[in-house]
Amino acid sequence: MSTEPKKTSPLVQYRRAQRRTVNVPRRIYILGAGNIGGFVAHSLAGLPHRPPITLLLPSQKSLTSWHERGESIKLTTNGLLDTKSNLDVSFVRRPRPPEEASAAQDDLHLVPQNLDGSQDEIIHNLIVTVKALNTVDALQRVAHRLTRESSVLFIQNGMGIIEEVNDKVFPDPATRPQYMLGVTSHGIYRTKPFTLVHSGYGTTALAILPRNMEEVKPHFEPSALYLLRTMTRTPVLAAVGFAPTDLLQLQMEKLAVNAIINPLTTLMDCLNGDLLHQPSISRVIRLLLAEICLVIKSLPELQGVPNVKVRFDIKRLEAQVVGIANKTSANKSSMLQDISQGRLTEIEYITGYIIRRGEEIGIQCVLNYMVKHMIKTKERLAWEKHGNLLPTESRNPG
């Protein structure tokens, strides 16, 4: 008689997961109403029996724009405009030091009122779509509303964000919410606040991160299962759940492509497509990819994973860079847009992340190091040109 444990069918597992999410509050909060945040909110709002949705807005300016734009999100796809309304919004303030709290009571009449309820209501389901460099500041505004039973889904460019959030926002593992990660390949750009264009169809990959990577059968919070199920039943997002290791590889692929297209288009001040058919730029791309691929293939967390060396081969990633540059040939990269408008870039979470991980394992990425500091110089010059205060040094000025 066999002593092997009886296997559970996927259908039974799915029904069990459904039962676990029955008592999870349905409201989904979205922190960041830019391109991806607006797209996710618009997509969720199109669901039958849609969940309540709240946009968490960080400034009076964004709240004013929301009212001026008709309190709705407009998305144009293939020339067809679709408007979604009946979304709630909430203004989230920076936390005040205790000594300022009493004085702040006198200024309550100056604070814009929330349109969905209290500043202290518990958030069970949160999607974070702000830029990587703004994540810590944004999460600190709502950290008191998140519990161990809450789930936080990060859908952002760049890497190294989770580590920074753990260090600065949720240092105690006992009270830390459940994390989820998302990678999307949809092409979205904004023409006006809360007015978006869906320029390219893509997919969205999602994964729930175990609290302890060594657990054989990790426990996932019901809120994480609910958020995963809601995202994957949203047709426009084309979302699929992945194992954490598989999602990590997707993140690395996107990071490698971003580490080429974003800084090079910014330094050359050109459209994505202008990188194509340029022999000199092709040589630069291969040299940068040589360092990037070596770092990725040497990462401890990818050791023993099948086909890593093939997946992160220089020629394969170069083909991906060329394919995406061709697909988005008429687009300006997000980094070039940031520089053009005098904003800080995400270079520390893209190229900077590769450099830091390389240093941890004894690999010096000298060419990527040079590119990073050229971008930081251009970033500083753009700030001065736009009359902004000089930016402070980033999290890792090296």
Side-chain angles (χ1 to χ4, degrees):
M1 185 175 180
S2 174
T3 58
E4 291 184 6
K6 188 176 180 181
K7 292 184 179 179
T8 305
S9 72
L11 179 59
V12 172
Q13 293 178 14
Y14 176 74
R15 286 175 176 168
R16 286 178 180 173
Q18 276 189 314
R19 287 196 293 269
R20 288 182 62 193
T21 63
V22 167
N23 297 321
V24 175
R26 298 179 66 236
R27 182 172 294 277
I28 295 176
Y29 293 81
I30 300 177
L31 186 57
N35 296 1
I36 297 301
F39 176 62
V40 171
H42 187 278
S43 301
L44 291 173
L47 282 172
H49 310 295
R50 50 170 260 189
I53 302 164
T54 297
L55 300 177
L56 299 175
L57 304 180
S59 67
Q60 174 69 61
K61 181 179 178 181
S62 55
L63 190 63
T64 301
S65 295
W66 173 254
H67 294 306
E68 291 176 347
R69 300 296 171 187
E71 299 181 2
S72 63
I73 298 176
K74 300 175 176 64
L75 180 72
T76 300
T77 306
N78 294 329
L80 299 176
L81 176 64
D82 184 23
T83 301
K84 292 287 189 279
S85 53
N86 295 325
L87 302 167
D88 297 317
V89 298
S90 177
F91 175 77
V92 286
R93 302 185 297 271
R94 284 190 177 90
R96 293 178 181 269
E99 60 271 15
E100 295 181 15
S102 57
Q105 296 296 319
D106 299 332
D107 297 328
L108 285 178
H109 65 285
L110 301 177
V111 178
Q113 295 298 307
N114 294 323
L115 305 183
D116 80 318
S118 169
Q119 282 270 353
D120 297 317
E121 182 181 353
I122 295 298
I123 295 175
H124 294 87
N125 315 294
L126 178 65
I127 301 175
V128 178
T129 63
V130 296
K131 283 185 172 291
L133 68 162
N134 298 327
T135 302
V136 168
D137 174 72
L139 274 177
Q140 284 174 338
R141 301 178 184 217
V142 296
H144 65 289
R145 301 172 62 182
L146 294 164
T147 70
R148 183 178 173 81
E149 289 73 38
S150 302
S151 290
V152 181
L153 168 58
F154 298 87
I155 308 180
Q156 302 166 294
N157 284 330
M159 296 186 68
I161 302 160
I162 296 288
E163 294 81 357
E164 191 172 7
V165 167
N166 283 344
D167 181 50
K168 298 180 179 179
V169 185
F170 301 113
D172 184 2
T175 58
R176 190 176 291 162
Q178 178 96 61
Y179 294 148
M180 302 173 65
L181 285 177
V183 177
T184 186
S185 59
H186 286 281
I188 308 292
Y189 66 88
R190 179 171 53 176
T191 56
K192 297 174 183 176
F194 305 103
T195 304
L196 308 169
V197 175
H198 192 185
S199 58
Y201 289 100
T203 58
T204 304
L206 304 170
I208 305 175
L209 300 186
R211 295 183 187 275
N212 183 352
M213 295 299 290
E214 297 179 358
E215 289 180 341
V216 178
K217 290 185 176 181
H219 168 77
F220 297 136
E221 295 297 334
S223 58
L225 297 173
Y226 165 74
L227 197 51
L228 180 64
R229 185 160 59 89
T230 303
M231 294 288 283
T232 53
R233 75 180 181 93
T234 306
V236 180
L237 294 177
V240 179
F242 283 83
T245 302
D246 294 331
L247 188 85
L248 174 61
Q249 293 176 79
L250 292 172
Q251 280 187 296
M252 288 295 177
E253 285 181 340
K254 185 172 183 179
L255 183 75
V257 172
N258 282 340
I260 300 298
I261 292 178
N262 273 286
L264 290 186
T265 53
T266 302
L267 292 173
M268 302 298 170
D269 195 13
C270 66
L271 299 176
N272 293 354
D274 293 333
L275 296 179
L276 302 172
H277 315 300
Q278 302 287 347
S280 296
I281 289 296
S282 296
R283 293 187 181 95
V284 172
I285 289 174
R286 292 189 196 105
L287 289 169
L288 292 172
L289 281 176
E291 293 182 347
I292 294 168
C293 291
L294 179 59
V295 169
I296 294 174
K297 287 187 288 188
S298 303
L299 290 175
E301 56 265 42
L302 290 180
Q303 298 310 299
V305 176
N307 300 319
V308 165
K309 291 185 178 180
V310 175
R311 185 167 186 168
F312 294 100
D313 178 73
I314 295 175
K315 290 183 179 179
R316 183 178 180 275
L317 286 185
E318 183 183 7
Q320 285 197 339
V321 169
V322 170
I324 291 175
N326 188 56
K327 184 180 177 181
T328 61
S329 58
N331 294 0
K332 278 187 176 182
S333 69
S334 58
M335 191 172 290
L336 178 56
Q337 292 179 53
D338 287 338
I339 289 289
S340 300
Q341 298 175 36
R343 297 194 298 255
L344 291 174
T345 71
E346 296 176 299
I347 191 67
E348 286 288 358
Y349 299 87
I350 301 174
T351 303
Y353 179 80
I354 293 165
I355 295 168
R356 289 192 297 276
R357 293 308 306 273
E359 289 174 346
E360 290 173 8
I361 52 181
I363 299 173
Q364 299 295 319
C365 300
V366 292
L367 297 178
N368 282 275
Y369 183 87
M370 178 187 70
V371 167
K372 186 190 90 165
H373 282 279
M374 291 175 73
I375 291 293
K376 290 175 72 69
T377 300
K378 194 157 188 175
E379 188 180 76
R380 193 177 186 89
L381 292 172
W383 269 67
E384 293 174 352
K385 179 180 177 181
H386 283 79
N388 295 321
L389 294 174
L390 291 178
T392 57
E393 283 296 333
S394 61
R395 60 195 286 271
N396 189 336

